[in-house]
Structure formats: C-alpha cells, structure tokens
Amino acid sequence: MAIGISTVPGELQWQRPLPMKLTYHISKIHTIKSIPSDEISAVFQRSFNRWSQVIPVEFIETEEYKLADINIGFYHPWDDWKSIAYTVYNPKKEIRFRARLNWTVNIRGDDLTSRSFDLEAVAVHEIGHVLGLYHSLNEDSVMYKNSLGVMDLSVEDVENVQALYKSQRFASPSLLSWLKNNGVYVAVVE
C-alpha cells in the first residue's frame, strides 16, 4: 500500500531564507481516539526532529490552524483507496492520514501486522514530501514508496534533503554513515 504521493524532486521545497522556521498544526477535530493526543504530538515532534537534525530548518508546533505552514490530520471518508497517507499542496502543505486504519506507535518491523501502521514511520516519510523529496527506490530509505517501518534517515535521504536546503554535504557517504551510526548529525548552512 502506498504511503505518499510522488513529486518532482525539489519542485515543492520551501523557498524561504535559511535557517528557516516552519510551523505545524495537528488537528484536534480530524483526529483518532486510539492514540492519545499528547502521544500523537510527541510522534510528530520526533518525526520533524529527524529532518531538522540534518537541515537548517526548525519545526514548531502551533495551536493556530490558520497560521500554520503545515496542517496534519486524520480523515474519513478517504478519497484515495490506495494510500494510507498523503501530502496535499494547496498552496499550504497538509499531511492527511487515513483515520480508519489501526495506527500504532513504537512498533517495528515484524511486529507490524498487515492491519497496523506505525504512525512515526509514515510521518517521517510524509514530512520528506513536505520538504520536497520524491519517492526512493531504496528500501532502506524513509522515502521508499511503501512503508516498511523505516524511521531512520538513510544516507540517500540526508544527501537529497541537504541538496534541496543547501546544507553542507558530508565528504563521503561512509563518513555520513559513521556519523549516523554514532548518533551524530550536523546541518550547516553554506
């Protein structure tokens, strides 16, 4: 099952001076009851932080729907039977999740059933679209078109988003891989 839309790489990236601040709003109306709202908020904070660790973009949650750069919600009825989530550009960016699915938190790999979806893994993927990234053919990438529960950004994910947001690229993929494996991310504006 697809988890996002395809976009032209970089076409939909944010066009603001760096470092950049973007606000996001999680709907209190379009929500689900299976996960408490504070836990949903924590999932999105972690998901946005994964990206802000590698690019000079800070994401700030706001209660102001109309003022938010990015709106997030869970919806039914669902107009796209193939997707579990997708990103809308209208011109605001909106991440929509299918409300009637079994959303889980902190469930990895083999623990996922065909009837459950890890909210954080899907959120990280959709945020990649919000930033302007295209689907990847790499199954280890969070931008892979089908959810496999991947939450950690791959070397490819980092290099692609840093290219869009003009962050200093690391000298080699092996250095980036070593830094990633040791929990170190650096984002520097060129």
Side-chain angles (χ1 to χ4, degrees):
M1 202 179 278
I3 64 169
I5 65 164
S6 298
T7 64
V8 176
E11 181 180 281
L12 299 172
Q13 76 191 68
W14 296 88
Q15 301 295 323
R16 295 182 184 173
L18 297 172
M20 179 186 324
K21 290 185 180 186
L22 296 174
T23 58
Y24 66 95
H25 171 77
I26 303 168
S27 178
K28 304 288 188 244
I29 298 168
H30 301 286
T31 191
I32 53 175
K33 294 178 184 176
S34 59
I35 302 173
S37 62
D38 61 334
E39 197 167 344
I40 290 173
S41 180
V43 163
F44 281 100
Q45 183 176 33
R46 288 192 304 269
S47 299
F48 280 111
N49 283 343
R50 289 178 191 281
W51 293 104
S52 66
Q53 288 178 356
V54 298
I55 57 173
V57 179
E58 180 182 0
F59 298 96
I60 303 161
E61 186 172 359
T62 180
E63 293 297 319
E64 299 295 325
Y65 171 82
K66 291 182 180 180
L67 300 178
D69 298 305
I70 305 158
N71 288 303
I72 301 164
F74 296 83
Y75 294 89
H76 46 209
W78 193 251
D79 55 354
D80 181 358
W81 65 272
K82 291 182 181 180
S83 296
I84 62 173
Y86 61 95
T87 299
V88 177
Y89 306 87
N90 59 355
K92 263 190 168 187
K93 296 184 181 177
E94 186 174 340
I95 302 173
R96 295 182 179 186
F97 293 85
R98 189 187 298 189
R100 290 191 176 152
L101 296 179
N102 182 28
W103 291 102
T104 60
V105 177
N106 296 327
I107 303 292
R108 297 270 185 144
D110 296 336
D111 295 335
L112 285 172
T113 69
S114 61
R115 296 184 183 159
S116 64
F117 299 90
D118 188 286
L119 179 59
E120 191 165 342
V122 178
V124 172
H125 175 94
E126 291 305 319
I127 293 166
H129 285 311
V130 163
L131 292 169
L133 294 178
Y134 185 70
H135 282 145
S136 171
L137 298 176
N138 177 357
E139 290 184 6
D140 294 328
S141 168
V142 298
M143 295 312 299
Y144 184 66
K145 68 178 182 173
N146 293 321
S147 176
L148 298 174
V150 177
M151 286 187 251
D152 295 325
L153 303 182
S154 69
V155 171
E156 176 186 292
D157 296 321
V158 172
E159 289 180 341
N160 288 342
V161 78
Q162 286 182 342
L164 290 179
Y165 292 92
K166 299 174 181 32
S167 295
Q168 181 175 333
R169 298 185 88 178
F170 290 97
S172 70
S174 60
L175 174 58
L176 178 60
S177 181
W178 181 88
L179 290 168
K180 176 184 171 222
N181 289 335
N182 287 283
V184 179
Y185 285 106
V186 179
V188 180
V189 180
E190 288 181 338

